[in-house]
Amino acid sequence: MLKVALTGSIGMGKSTVGKMIAARGVPLFDADATVHALYAPGGAAVAPVREAFPAAVTGDSVDRDVLSRLVLGKPDEIKKLESIVHPLVGMERQRFLAEAEAHGEPFVVLDIPLLFEGKGRAGVDAVIVVSAPADMQKSRVLARPGMTEEKFAAILARQVPDADKRAGADYVVDTGVSLAETEARVAEVLAALRRRADRERESGNA
């Protein structure tokens, strides 16, 4: 089973592309949605985050806005948070992969926002990078509630440049075009991945 990473910098349209992929019946592991669940009441991250960042927990859930303010621009605090969240997300990802494997899926897509900022291509067979022009990226991000120029700059500073991500991609999906053009590109990429998965499956059976 091919493991395909979906990634892209903030504001590039990765969530939109992820929805297009899932709508075509491809199993998609959404890391951000998993983190939301981990931070929700009853989530496995609530207790350890409360211990490390007490102010970030309200009631039985983690307040992501407060948590973001507590760690943004503080490398040691970010590492502390990652040491809590990353193993939990990893466990959920392994569960997802085992289930897809059991169902005989030819390939799955793993939505990994910080793929290049982490271990890069380790553990994946192909990479889809979602990209858009810088001015479009900026306008999208600054339109988000609570976002400021300073916060955007701090986030960008932690992310690998878009040009480097594009250079390291097997497939690039541009969201700086019409929705129909992006949809067409997604269909094209998925067809290519199906062909590749079929070839590898055939060679494995040979």
Side-chain angles (χ1 to χ4, degrees):
M1 184 177 73
L2 288 182
K3 300 179 188 70
V4 182
L6 174 68
T7 194
S9 298
I10 186 171
M12 290 302 193
K14 182 174 57 60
S15 296
T16 298
V17 170
K19 288 173 185 171
M20 292 177 180
I21 290 170
R24 285 167 171 75
V26 176
L28 174 77
F29 178 80
D30 188 332
D32 194 54
T34 300
V35 172
H36 271 284
L38 290 169
Y39 286 168
V46 176
V49 169
R50 178 187 281 117
E51 187 174 334
F53 306 96
V57 177
T58 305
D60 295 322
S61 64
V62 176
D63 186 321
R64 292 184 68 149
D65 290 336
V66 173
L67 185 60
S68 176
R69 289 197 294 272
L70 291 173
V71 304
L72 198 61
K74 302 172 185 175
D76 289 343
E77 298 299 277
I78 289 170
K79 284 181 184 174
K80 187 194 298 183
L81 178 60
E82 288 176 344
S83 72
I84 294 169
V85 176
H86 286 186
L88 294 172
V89 172
M91 287 169 58
E92 292 300 321
R93 184 166 56 241
Q94 286 307 119
R95 188 176 295 127
F96 164 85
L97 289 171
E99 190 173 309
E101 191 92 60
H103 282 98
E105 298 289 350
F107 69 95
V108 296
V109 175
L110 306 170
D111 182 331
I112 309 174
L114 299 178
L115 178 82
F116 287 96
E117 290 79 2
K119 295 178 181 178
R121 297 182 61 120
V124 297
D125 303 297
V127 176
I128 302 170
V129 167
V130 182
S131 182
D135 57 343
M136 187 175 287
Q137 175 195 25
K138 184 175 182 179
S139 65
R140 286 173 180 171
V141 176
L142 291 181
R144 296 181 181 184
M147 185 58 68
T148 63
E149 293 258 6
E150 293 75 22
K151 190 173 180 181
F152 176 48
I155 292 169
L156 274 189
R158 289 187 59 227
Q159 297 191 340
V160 170
D162 178 56
D164 293 348
K165 290 180 179 177
R166 292 171 69 106
D170 295 283
Y171 310 94
V172 176
V173 175
D174 186 358
T175 64
V177 293
S178 71
L179 207 56
E181 288 172 292
T182 300
E183 289 256 19
R185 176 57 178 158
V186 168
E188 190 178 83
V189 169
L190 295 181
L193 286 167
R194 285 193 183 93
R195 290 193 296 271
R196 176 175 167 180
D198 288 343
R199 284 196 305 272
E200 296 200 7
R201 188 167 283 185
E202 286 168 10
S203 65
N205 292 332

